[in-house]
Amino acid sequence: MTVSDTAEKIKSMEIRGAGRIARAAAEALRDHALSMQAQNTAAFRQDMERVAALLVSTRPTAVSLPNAVHFVMAGLAAAKTADEARNGVVHRAEQFIHSSQHAVGKIAEFGARHIRDGDVILTHCNSEVALGCMIEAHRQGKEIEVFATEVRPRNQGHITIRTLNDAGIKTNFIVDSAVRSFINDVDLVIVGADAVTVNGAVVNKIGTSQVAHTAAEARVNVIVAAETYKFAPRTVVGELIQIEERPPGEVLPDEIARTLPNVKVRNPAFDVTPPEYIDLIVTEQGAIPPQMAYVIIREYLGWEIGEFNLAGGSPADFNGE
Ligand code: RI2
């Protein structure tokens, strides 16, 4: 698959989920580096930067994507020849993919410890790490039951219920607006994240903040499962996470929208859950209260304030294992 194929698939959400997007981008950069015929480092670097920018431009919110791309592109930093540059990119891409898969497994292991026998869990959207925690708890013999939301407009809940069904986990499928009706039957909310900011706010699928607010009101704990590469280094220097607004046709068919000239359809794909609604963020480095997000950014993404190059940003030094 070429870089443009991968970029197109990420944009159309054929490849989706913050972790999967990041690994797909690393694979695309690796394959592009391997296929390139460039004779000199400058030409190699220029072309890699072009495709890296294309990948990063596909979806603006999941910070795992630029974090993965920066990590892989750091393989070019010390290269003196095109071959060294190619090897650097391939090595770091492989390292990212491996570390990411390792992180998903570790989070499942740590997250499962927060799930008790008999727990009823509510999840929103489709997060491989959030599901990983539930599947691991089930594998350990804990009897759990899950409430999974539909997740309008893209219906990622359908993927979630298939995975839970296939794992043999008892599951209830509900529309997004039914969360408050069932929250008193729920012991624990577990969701994923597309980005975690320096103050511990979690950016995740639209509706997550309503779920977390409802859970807070009902005194139900909320756990966020997030690999360290979903923490957003540049929020340390005040950069805001851009919330992707997707085409209106995902919410209302264009032929209906055309008949309603006074109606504007809004379709933000993500929202922000403030740290006070989150009890714990489970990363592959262990669980932290959201207020400790800065420590993850500093310790595991390798960013320090002095390293920030505000013009372009320096590569995140991902150290996920
Ligand atoms: P994992 C997804 O975004 C969802 O918001 C999900 O919670 C988050 O990425 C994290 O997913 P989208 O691509 O990386 O469906 O945990 O818009 O799989």
Side-chain angles (χ1 to χ4, degrees), residues 13 16-21 59 124-129 156 192-194 204-205 227 230 270:
M13 293 178 66
R16 55 146 298 281
R20 288 193 174 90
I21 291 173
R59 291 195 75 193
H124 181 61
C125 202
N126 177 259
S127 156
E128 67 171 342
V129 271
Q156 286 96 328
D194 290 83
N204 192 47
K205 183 56 53 195
E227 304 92 304
K230 289 177 182 163
F270 303 98

Side-chain angles (χ1 to χ4, degrees), residues 245-253 257 260 262-268:
E245 186 147 354
R246 296 191 55 85
E250 289 185 349
V251 175
L252 192 69
L260 304 167
N262 296 319
V263 175
K264 182 179 182 191
V265 175
R266 301 296 306 270
N267 184 20

Side-chain angles (χ1 to χ4, degrees), residues 75-156:
L76 288 168
K80 291 188 189 64
T81 64
D83 270 349
E84 274 178 33
R86 185 176 297 105
N87 292 341
V89 166
V90 171
H91 173 71
R92 289 193 61 105
E94 297 288 358
Q95 198 184 342
F96 180 84
I97 294 162
H98 173 78
S99 299
S100 167
Q101 285 159 345
H102 177 80
V104 172
K106 274 281 165 216
I107 292 173
E109 183 189 328
F110 297 157
R113 295 200 181 122
H114 291 278
I115 300 173
R116 295 159 306 178
D117 191 27
D119 269 355
V120 177
I121 299 157
L122 186 139
T123 192
H124 181 61
C125 202
N126 177 259
S127 156
E128 67 171 342
V129 271
L131 281 172
C133 300
M134 298 172 224
I135 290 168
E136 175 57 19
H138 174 74
R139 196 194 63 77
Q140 292 172 1
K142 293 175 187 169
E143 228 174 85
I144 60 166
E145 181 175 340
V146 177
F147 277 81
T149 50
E150 183 182 26
V151 194
R152 278 275 292 151
R154 295 295 298 243
N155 296 322
Q156 286 96 328

Side-chain angles (χ1 to χ4, degrees), residues 127-300:
S127 156
E128 67 171 342
V129 271
L131 281 172
C133 300
M134 298 172 224
I135 290 168
E136 175 57 19
H138 174 74
R139 196 194 63 77
Q140 292 172 1
K142 293 175 187 169
E143 228 174 85
I144 60 166
E145 181 175 340
V146 177
F147 277 81
T149 50
E150 183 182 26
V151 194
R152 278 275 292 151
R154 295 295 298 243
N155 296 322
Q156 286 96 328
H158 290 226
I159 313 172
T160 295
I161 56 171
R162 184 152 300 283
T163 304
L164 290 165
N165 175 76
D166 294 352
I169 297 174
K170 191 172 166 197
T171 301
N172 306 276
F173 185 49
I174 59 172
V175 295
D176 301 332
S177 44
V179 168
R180 197 156 183 260
S181 297
F182 289 108
I183 199 70
N184 289 325
D185 300 336
V186 169
D187 299 298
L188 185 63
V189 169
I190 308 182
V191 292
D194 290 83
V196 182
T197 67
V198 66
N199 68 330
V202 167
V203 182
N204 192 47
K205 183 56 53 195
I206 189 78
T208 303
S209 69
Q210 286 179 184
V211 171
H213 189 209
T214 303
E217 182 202 38
R219 302 286 183 270
V220 171
N221 283 346
V222 174
I223 290 183
V224 173
E227 304 92 304
T228 51
Y229 52 79
K230 289 177 182 163
F231 286 65
R234 296 173 69 83
T235 58
V236 171
V237 288
E239 202 170 280
L240 299 175
I241 302 288
Q242 195 191 329
I243 302 291
E244 175 184 13
E245 186 147 354
R246 296 191 55 85
E250 289 185 349
V251 175
L252 192 69
D254 290 339
E255 53 278 20
I256 296 178
R258 266 197 294 276
T259 66
L260 304 167
N262 296 319
V263 175
K264 182 179 182 191
V265 175
R266 301 296 306 270
N267 184 20
F270 303 98
D271 66 17
V272 182
T273 301
E276 53 272 27
Y277 294 154
I278 298 160
D279 292 283
L280 215 53
I281 303 179
V282 179
T283 80
E284 74 276 16
Q285 299 294 339
I288 56 156
Q291 290 74 11
M292 274 178 67
Y294 175 67
V295 175
I296 295 287
I297 293 172
R298 198 191 55 204
E299 299 289 318
Y300 299 107

